[in-house]
Amino acid sequence: MKALICPEDGDRLRPFTYSMPKQLVPVANKPILVHCLENVRAIGVEEVAVVVGDRADEVRAVVGDGSAFGLDVTYLQQEAPLGLAHCVSIAEEFLGDEDFVMYLGDNILAEGIAESARAFRDERSAARLLLTKVADPRAYGVAETDATGRVHALVEKPERPRSDLAVIGVYFFTAAVHDAVRAIEPSARGELEITDAIQYLVERGDRVVADEYTGYWKDTGSPDDLLDCNRVLLGRLRPGVHGEVDAASTVEGTVVVEAGRSWSDSRLVGPLVVGAGSVVRGSELGPYTALGRDCVLEDAGIRDSIVLDGVSIQGVRGLSGSLIGRSAAVRTGEAAGRRLIIGDHTQAEVAA
């Protein structure tokens, strides 16, 4: 089996996604795309195609040739966001006649996809979808299934959903999907929709089945989604403190501190992960916080937040539920407020 990783737009994560692809935004100090790659490697996949757009170089810089993840990665250029079925189309030569898993690069499935991968290999349906219960299925594609899990229809954003099970961003396909992709036409929004390709298989009489995914899933479409994922994944860490922590500092709960730089007179509360090279003095950090590499915190306090590389926070306490972009500087000033969602290289002044 091969894998195809497809991009999704990041409109709801601006300003972060003005300066980095959505799939490279870190959760628990690891890019979302890397979480996806680890899940496909865990089911035995070795060859992966990653579809990239105008920020291909940034993705290549993180993933490289894939060897760091035990993978052989090929990059496929998509000149414009023309739909998920279009991704399958441009990957047809790479995929050949092999089975493959298509994985949307902004999805976090914390329990992995091994169970559905095994079922797909054993039962050999033309396609296998993952579904999960959602509060409002009208915002999603909904699969209509029978008692055996066989899919009889796919309805995109139905006004009157027949179930609360929405299609999420992992699909297993045989080579039959290539016929479907060639047969469909662009939708009203000008894209080749993967739901249309799957519906074509259903109408042709091919067997399409669905599994309910009962583990933790999120499509990381908003800042609150990212923070929720961050809490969940941090809660699964194993502790390991490799940096220098002085006697005046305390470490509570599950804390991961990468090697390098120092901590002094500070309180570290897990679950918490801190990237290499960060300096923390007279500060309180965590719980549920991911601090990137080469950050500096002085007389600061932050919890339940994601802080990217190179950030400086000085003289500001009480930060919570914040997303702070690369190389941003946060310091005391006269501006009001305590919650920050700011992009790369930003200067923010926060009331003391």
Side-chain angles (χ1 to χ4, degrees), residues 5-10 13 16-17 19-37 50-64 69 75 104-108 220 226 306-309 326 344:
I5 309 293
C6 302
E8 286 282 270
D9 71 67
L13 282 177
F16 273 120
T17 50
S19 53
M20 67 191 308
K22 179 182 181 182
Q23 62 266 38
L24 296 187
V25 175
V27 177
N29 270 17
K30 186 184 297 182
I32 298 167
L33 177 58
V34 172
H35 289 286
C36 299
L37 293 172
V50 177
V51 178
V52 292
D54 57 1
R55 290 177 168 175
D57 290 345
E58 295 173 66
V59 177
R60 289 175 188 268
V62 171
V63 177
F69 312 103
Y75 295 94
L104 305 195
D106 64 345
N107 276 230
I108 294 288
T220 63
L226 279 177
I306 297 174
V307 181
L308 274 63
D309 296 348
R326 294 173 295 189
D344 296 358

Side-chain angles (χ1 to χ4, degrees), residues 2 45 84 103 109 124 128 145 218 237 245 263 283 305:
K2 293 182 177 180
V45 170
L84 295 176
Y103 204 126
L109 289 86
R124 303 297 302 145
R128 195 171 197 99
T145 65
K218 191 72 73 173
L237 292 175
V245 180
W263 299 75
S283 298
S305 296

Side-chain angles (χ1 to χ4, degrees), residues 147-319:
T148 69
R150 184 161 183 168
V151 176
H152 293 286
L154 281 180
V155 183
E156 190 67 30
K157 298 181 176 61
E159 282 297 320
R160 294 179 177 84
R162 296 189 181 183
S163 81
D164 59 354
L165 290 171
V167 179
I168 61 177
V170 175
Y171 311 77
F172 294 90
F173 292 113
T174 66
V177 75
H178 298 302
D179 290 337
V181 168
R182 286 190 290 268
I184 63 174
E185 298 291 335
S187 66
R189 60 179 184 170
E191 297 186 7
L192 289 175
E193 310 285 359
I194 198 63
T195 50
D196 290 344
I198 297 168
Q199 183 65 28
Y200 175 90
L201 294 175
V202 170
E203 292 175 356
R204 193 173 71 172
D206 291 3
R207 188 166 180 266
V208 176
V209 297
D211 297 325
E212 182 181 351
Y213 189 79
T214 57
Y216 178 85
W217 165 79
K218 191 72 73 173
D219 70 353
T220 63
S222 71
D224 286 337
D225 291 336
L226 279 177
L227 291 170
D228 189 63
C229 285
N230 198 54
R231 294 182 204 106
V232 169
L233 297 181
L234 287 176
R236 301 173 185 220
L237 292 175
R238 294 183 178 180
V241 177
H242 305 289
E244 299 178 8
V245 180
D246 72 351
S249 296
T250 60
V251 177
E252 306 170 21
T254 302
V255 174
V256 177
V257 179
E258 296 179 4
R261 304 303 286 268
S262 63
W263 299 75
S264 60
D265 193 25
S266 295
R267 183 178 179 226
L268 285 62
V269 182
L272 166 70
V273 61
V274 180
S278 290
V279 176
V280 179
R281 304 187 185 100
S283 298
E284 183 166 334
L285 186 58
Y288 297 107
T289 297
L291 185 71
R293 294 173 174 244
D294 300 317
C295 295
V296 176
L297 271 66
E298 295 183 305
D299 189 26
I302 186 167
R303 58 178 292 147
D304 192 23
S305 296
I306 297 174
V307 181
L308 274 63
D309 296 348
V311 167
S312 171
I313 304 176
Q314 297 177 312
V316 179
R317 294 182 176 269
L319 291 172

